[in-house]
Amino acid sequence: MTAPPVFIPLVLMALAIAAALSIGGLFFLKQSGERRANRLYGALLLLAGFTQLHFALDFGGWMVSDPWLRYLPIYFSLWLPVLLFSHVKISLYPFYKFRWTDVKHLALPIGQTLYFLIIWLLPSLRHEAGRYFYNPFYGGLEQALFLIGWPIYVLFSVLYLRRKRALLNKRSLPRLLWYLRKLLKGVLLFILAYAILSVADVLASKYLLTDLRSRVWYAGAQALSFTVLLLWLCVYGGQVLVWGRALRVAVRWP
């Protein structure tokens, strides 16, 4: 029987997964607002939900008893900040057309997806430990890219938000801009908590020779930091679905 300290975080993870997958799916059916922005946010929630499932399988210990679960192609960490930025950009500028220069943002996310598909289909290419430090798609380097990518893309989003606000030239923020600003602030706060826990793990391993991941309290805190981030994304998504018809940009792309 699963111990209570492990069971409670798993229940919260399961709720976050269910919310992300259901709300994400609804965004593909949403008719109001900019359809590309809807689909981008729907994709963000769906991929974040599958990534949370990966974390849940790891936290629950199933990847130890069944190592093949490590290689399920459900891990999309590098997609998430890019999709968030793309959603904000298209929401603010619905007439923006994607250019070839935008492909650079997709290089690592596509590479990560291809990596998991390849090691899933070709078991001989799998690494024994699953993760390893220099792997940019599933390892220490990937975690560094994950942690660096969030603040960078949030910064890009904030710059677009400020530019849009300057174009509107209004004292009070339109509802869309107000919600997007709250979304970005919350994302940055939760990613900061996730980053602090990750850095603490590295420092403890290097200087104290202690594996914090082996401790239930730390593993639960790190797992729940992503869960809270996912729930925050779901809260924003639910608000947009409820009040979506009112979330429109006042000034069109010049």
Side-chain angles (χ1 to χ4, degrees):
M1 184 176 180
T2 307
V6 177
F7 177 74
I8 295 174
L10 284 176
V11 170
L12 294 175
M13 289 180 192
L15 292 174
I17 292 168
L21 297 182
S22 57
I23 295 175
L26 290 174
F27 265 90
F28 285 89
L29 304 176
K30 187 174 180 292
Q31 298 300 317
S32 61
E34 217 293 324
R35 289 192 177 184
R36 290 184 300 164
N38 293 339
R39 291 168 183 170
L40 285 167
Y41 202 79
L44 169 62
L45 288 179
L46 291 177
L47 298 190
F50 286 123
T51 302
Q52 177 72 97
L53 176 59
H54 176 94
F55 288 144
L57 293 173
D58 188 13
F59 179 73
W62 289 288
M63 289 185 179
V64 176
S65 58
D66 297 290
W68 62 272
L69 292 173
R70 300 174 183 169
Y71 311 104
L72 282 174
I74 59 172
Y75 190 67
F76 303 100
S77 62
L78 299 180
W79 278 99
L80 307 183
V82 176
L83 287 171
L84 176 68
F85 166 67
S86 301
H87 166 73
V88 172
K89 186 175 182 178
I90 297 302
S91 296
L92 295 172
Y93 302 104
F95 294 99
Y96 178 82
K97 301 294 183 182
F98 284 105
R99 307 181 178 95
W100 281 109
T101 54
D102 294 320
V103 175
K104 62 180 180 291
H105 299 292
L106 301 176
L108 286 171
I110 291 176
Q112 185 180 50
T113 301
L114 292 176
Y115 170 78
F116 271 93
L117 288 174
I118 290 171
I119 63 173
W120 173 253
L121 297 173
L122 301 174
S124 60
L125 299 179
R126 298 173 183 175
H127 193 272
E128 291 182 1
R131 291 177 176 269
Y132 57 95
F133 183 80
Y134 294 104
N135 189 337
F137 306 125
Y138 190 48
L141 184 54
E142 170 261 324
Q143 281 292 287
L145 292 171
F146 177 76
L147 294 175
I148 294 171
W150 278 105
I152 288 176
Y153 280 105
V154 168
L155 175 60
F156 290 163
S157 300
V158 169
L159 293 176
Y160 275 99
L161 192 66
R162 289 182 176 179
R163 179 184 177 187
K164 189 64 179 184
R165 184 176 184 179
L167 289 173
L168 293 175
N169 195 24
K170 290 184 177 181
R171 291 185 178 180
S172 60
L173 285 177
R175 183 174 290 185
L176 173 62
L177 272 67
W178 188 87
Y179 275 111
L180 287 175
R181 188 176 67 172
K182 292 296 182 184
L183 169 66
L184 296 173
K185 284 184 176 181
V187 166
L188 198 57
L189 178 63
F190 297 130
I191 285 299
L192 179 61
Y194 187 90
I196 291 173
L197 289 168
S198 298
V199 171
D201 180 38
V202 173
L203 294 177
S205 177
K206 184 174 182 179
Y207 296 106
L208 302 178
L209 301 179
T210 301
D211 183 12
L212 292 181
R213 291 176 180 270
S214 63
R215 308 199 176 188
V216 175
W217 66 266
Y218 175 84
Q222 188 177 50
L224 288 178
S225 63
F226 185 83
T227 302
V228 174
L229 170 63
L230 181 54
L231 289 173
W232 177 252
L233 295 175
C234 290
V235 167
Y236 169 83
Q239 290 174 331
V240 172
L241 290 175
V242 172
W243 297 304
R245 296 184 182 277
L247 298 180
R248 297 184 182 277
V249 181
V251 177
R252 292 187 174 184
W253 174 259

